[in-house]
Amino acid sequence: MFMPSTSKGCKKRGEEISPTREGSSNSSQVIESSIECIDLESSLPDKQTAINMQPTGTKKQQEDSPSREHQKSIENHSNKEMEKNIEKTSRDLEKGQLEMSHKRKNKDEYDEVMEKYESGGGGGGGGGGGRRSADNKGKEGKGQGNSSSHKLYKKVTPRKSPKKSTQMEKNGHEKCKEASNLRSILASAAERRIKATVPSSSKAVSSTHQLSPDLFEDEDTDNRTKMGEQEVHWRGSPLSSLTTLSSTNLNLPSVSPSPTHTVMVKLPLSTSGPALPHPTSYTDVWDQHHVRMPCSPRSQYPLSKNSDVIVSRWSVICQALCRDMSSVEDFQKVVLEYNTRYASKWKFRGLQYLLERELEEEESEHFFHNTLPAIASLALRLPQLVTQAPPLLTKHTTHSVTFSQLQIASLLANAFFCTFPRRNAKGSETEYASYPDINFNRLFFHKEKRALEKLKCIINYFRRITIKEPTGNVTFTRQHISTSDLPSWLSCTNHLPRLHVDTVGLIEEAEGLLQVDFANKFLGGGVLGLGCVQEEIRFVLSPELLISRLFTQVLDNTEALIITGVEQFNSGNGYSSTFIWGGSCQDTTPRDLWGRRLCQVTAIDALHFTKQPQIQYRESFIKRELNKAYAGFRVLDKSTGAPIAVATGNWGCGAFRGNPRLKALIQLAACAYVGRDLAYFTFGDEKLRDDLVTMYIFLKENNVTVGALVQVLNQHGARGWGDGSDFFQYIYHSLRAYDSDTDSETTTTTKPLESDVPVSTHNSRGCPRVISDYFKRSGPSTSRSSSSSSSTSHKNPQSKPLPQSSYVTEGGAAIKDSLSEEKILQVLSECDRLIEGQKSKDKMSAECFSTSDDKHVRDACDRVLSKGEKRDNQGKEGMRRDEKKNKVLQSTGEPSRLLSVLDEIDTEVS
């Protein structure tokens, strides 16, 4: 699977050119006999050959020809010679003196010559070619008439000889068969040793916490263990083994008023219906630390465009929303009545296109007659539902706000009617320049398909909550990590947690996990515009997330927003321009003691690397992303229960041009630091899934800590020229050297290396690595203390502990086997590389041996005209040539040598 085997295909091709012993014997007899006939024909005098090449006359002339009797004597003599050769060939086969490869060469060589000979390229041998065909037909039809003689002996127009020799095809088949044999021996021997070294009394994992299918499972393995009719799409630990939110594991802080937690509802919560607001009556606050509410008496507005009379803006809003709205034009007039300065800028053509062209007439009528008036009524209830101004979640603060779902609905209804003051002005000097926009006017403008589909989601949300009021609560927490509280990544000794990697499924479908929102630093990104990627889609599927734009200032480098209790109202399909509303979603997620859905979302923003993606490997940027992930993954203060797993994916890897493999390791390291498991969704990328699990197994089997992993990430970026193409390969080589150094110590230490990790694809002599290098440790490190060196200098380097392959247990620990699956996969890959290199060498050699067509035909005719002794010499010479061609392959990847390496491993382990 990590390296699909090609042995099956090679075997089939080999079978096509490798007949059974019995079939090959018969074929060889025919070939040998036919060659003898050609020898006899070619030995005829030139005069006789000239007679045979002349056009035939009438039947009577043919019968009176004096050469008829002579020709019969030749045929009788040839038949006797054929019988002798058949007997000789049979004796040779019985004694085992002829090899299958030799016979195939004779057949290929003969077919090549006869093809050229019959096409006229053989000069004087053309008659012999015709006679060979006549003999074959005589055997099959048991008779040959004059018509046959006429057809066989007529002169053939010369053709151009074939461009490619069958010798090249034969070499390809043989090399493919060698590759098949080599890979089969490797895979079977490695699997046999792995199975043999696992004690029967100990299981790698429990039945409910097994690893994904065996890394050696291959499509062409007949005796493989099937994992069911349905193809397995995940690798690593099962999703069910990860810690989740549940009634027995409420890994959440409680809802209680405090200086760092503003509760907008009355406690204790009501057992029936929506939670009552707190305080009971509206209390106005109008300052830079709170949301400026539309219903505030301090929000004022001029009575008319040129009037100096100032009135309460909320009164203007109430009058406008009480009017009848039966069309988009009416709706637009209402909105612009208290936003007069934008009358020439705001156009609601997108909303108009949706309601007049996209939706059915009945749906449009229902919207104008039912849904829109209900939204207006909900907006006007704002002073009764939200009785205090919510605090702004500003930079460098950690604060939480808890709303009822009905309060969020009323606030969003006001955003729908664009009532929030001071939120429309743009510019770096405006009051809310560092906040996302909240009024929906931009969403109403765009007619693009994705914008219309987002509008459908929002309209469906309002339709549902106006028909049946929601009764739950939602908490928004801005988490800031101060500089003094940031992790010391290089000194972290935590080991990696459990990892689940899946190609199907979505983050929002991972129930009970901490779901990552690939956020913009301005929460929601382009959700109210044309943006329609991961964050924007998540916000319209759960529109309650939109309200975070009202009070959340732009996120800093060590900050995240965690939302607890959000409900999903819509389902969707597609992505970006292909996104469509998938209908209404009935969220059945259970609630906690405070009426919040057991769903937690963390919004973390990745860095932009659109213009210079290569700089993302620098240490400063890696540290920034680590700190950002830590801010989003750290368990909230006063939380109870065990930390739940994180559900994430290719964070910052779309338009931001991040490397998904780098981002995956960063998130894995952050999860390890805070003690969370990780579920990673690759969104259909199977190669990424397999690469991540391969790397994860490698890290686990070498007991790599968070500090060691972060250090090698920094060292990779310190080179300054890497583009990420060798990212994983660098880690493999670097951590092998690190692991070799740690093995030379007498005591186990978890402190990461302080010196640079050497990286090379060559051994100490400057030669390329061979297959056996993957099974051997490096010598003792010279960078350790003198006491450590002295304790290991007298030992044989090959007697060091071998790399252990690991399986993830329920507790995240690794159960080790004697042979690394990763090493075996690398061996198989190395075999492919060696064989491909040998193929190219053979091809170059064959091109050097090739000559012009005429010379090639003359040489082939000489080989055909030679006697039996000369053919035997050619057979021996051919076998010597094969041995010479296989010399490089045998010296670097001989199966017996590989098996001996595996035997050495067994000996060392025992």
Side-chain angles (χ1 to χ4, degrees), residues 494-510:
N494 293 359
H495 290 276
L496 302 182
R498 284 175 291 194
L499 174 67
H500 171 90
V501 188
D502 210 331
T503 57
V504 303
L506 301 172
I507 294 174
E508 59 267 21
E509 296 173 353

Side-chain angles (χ1 to χ4, degrees), residues 36-37 40-41 43-45 48 52 65-82 131 135 144 153:
E36 286 297 332
C37 293
L40 293 172
E41 290 288 344
S43 63
L44 291 175
Q48 183 64 31
N52 292 340
S65 175
S67 64
R68 181 63 176 174
E69 294 180 358
H70 182 60
Q71 183 174 353
K72 288 183 179 180
S73 63
I74 292 175
E75 292 177 354
N76 293 334
H77 180 68
S78 65
N79 290 335
K80 292 179 181 179
E81 292 294 332
M82 288 169 55
R131 184 56 179 268
D135 290 339
Q144 26 181 334
Y153 284 96

Side-chain angles (χ1 to χ4, degrees), residues 1-2 212-217 235 693-694 697 821-822 825:
M1 142 187 348
F2 287 93
S212 53
D214 188 1
L215 296 180
F216 291 100
E217 183 182 9
R235 299 289 183 268
V693 174
T694 305
I697 292 176
E821 294 171 347
E822 173 61 26
L825 293 174

Side-chain angles (χ1 to χ4, degrees), residues 186 698 732-733 736-737 739-740 760-779 797-798 801-803 819-820 822-824 826-828 830-831 833-834 891-893 897-898 900-902 904-905 908:
L186 273 172
F698 171 79
Y732 283 131
H733 287 298
R736 280 196 193 97
D739 190 51
S740 177
S760 176
T761 57
H762 293 68
N763 57 24
S764 58
R765 293 172 294 178
C767 302
R769 292 182 183 272
V770 294
I771 295 176
S772 59
D773 290 342
Y774 290 103
F775 294 90
K776 295 179 180 179
R777 293 289 189 178
S778 305
Q798 294 184 359
L802 290 163
L819 189 59
S820 167
E822 173 61 26
K823 298 295 187 298
I824 297 301
Q826 289 168 338
V827 170
L828 299 179
E830 184 71 8
C831 288
R833 187 186 67 79
L834 293 173
S891 63
T892 57
R897 180 175 179 176
L898 292 170
S900 65
V901 173
L902 296 175
E904 291 177 7
I905 292 175
E908 293 171 5

Side-chain angles (χ1 to χ4, degrees), residues 132-379:
R132 184 247 187 190
S133 300
D135 290 339
N136 287 343
K137 289 190 177 183
K139 291 178 183 179
E140 295 172 3
K142 295 184 181 180
Q144 26 181 334
N146 294 330
S147 60
S148 298
S149 300
H150 177 72
K151 181 184 292 186
L152 292 172
Y153 284 96
K154 80 176 174 181
K155 194 172 182 178
V156 182
T157 304
R159 302 187 301 221
K160 188 176 180 181
S161 59
K163 293 182 179 180
K164 294 184 178 181
S165 173
T166 56
Q167 184 71 21
M168 296 292 294
E169 298 178 1
K170 176 190 63 176
N171 291 339
H173 289 309
E174 292 179 352
K175 295 306 170 188
C176 189
K177 184 177 180 181
E178 291 169 0
S180 173
N181 294 337
L182 190 58
R183 291 178 58 86
S184 298
I185 291 173
L186 273 172
S188 60
E191 186 173 7
R192 170 166 50 83
R193 278 156 175 75
I194 286 180
K195 291 181 178 179
T197 54
V198 177
S200 58
S201 59
S202 61
K203 296 182 179 179
V205 285
S206 63
S207 59
T208 58
H209 297 86
Q210 290 183 350
L211 270 186
S212 53
D214 188 1
L215 296 180
F216 291 100
E217 183 182 9
D218 227 54
E219 292 180 0
D220 58 344
T221 305
D222 295 333
N223 58 349
R224 67 183 184 271
T225 302
K226 295 185 179 179
M227 301 298 295
E229 296 296 332
Q230 188 176 4
E231 182 182 358
V232 178
H233 48 77
W234 60 271
R235 299 289 183 268
S237 299
L239 189 62
S240 59
S241 68
L242 307 185
T243 307
T244 61
L245 274 176
S246 64
S247 58
T248 58
N249 184 48
L250 292 175
N251 185 228
L252 303 170
S254 62
V255 177
S256 59
S258 69
T260 59
H261 193 166
T262 301
V263 182
M264 304 287 292
V265 296
K266 184 179 180 180
L267 297 177
L269 298 174
S270 175
T271 56
S272 62
L276 299 176
H278 174 76
T280 56
S281 60
Y282 181 77
T283 303
D284 184 51
V285 178
W286 186 266
D287 58 27
Q288 66 272 22
H289 303 295
H290 294 80
V291 174
R292 298 188 186 272
M293 297 288 284
C295 58
S296 172
R298 302 185 190 183
S299 177
Q300 298 179 339
Y301 200 75
L303 184 61
S304 60
K305 185 175 181 180
N306 298 321
S307 175
D308 294 334
V309 180
I310 304 299
V311 297
S312 171
R313 187 168 183 264
W314 182 245
S315 62
V316 178
I317 293 172
C318 291
Q319 292 178 3
L321 267 58
C322 289
R323 294 175 183 165
D324 181 57
M325 293 173 284
S326 58
S327 65
V328 176
E329 289 80 2
D330 294 340
F331 172 70
Q332 184 172 342
K333 288 179 182 178
V334 166
V335 172
L336 292 176
E337 191 166 339
Y338 44 87
N339 293 289
T340 53
R341 64 186 303 180
Y342 302 105
S344 60
K345 299 179 181 179
W346 289 3
K347 305 296 180 182
F348 294 174
R349 59 183 188 180
L351 180 63
Q352 183 174 8
Y353 187 89
L354 172 68
L355 295 172
E356 295 181 0
R357 298 189 182 185
E358 285 286 315
L359 300 183
E360 299 291 337
E361 184 177 354
E362 294 79 5
E363 294 175 325
S364 297
E365 290 180 356
H366 185 274
F367 173 78
F368 285 113
H369 295 159
N370 300 97
T371 306
L372 187 59
I375 298 174
S377 176
L378 187 60

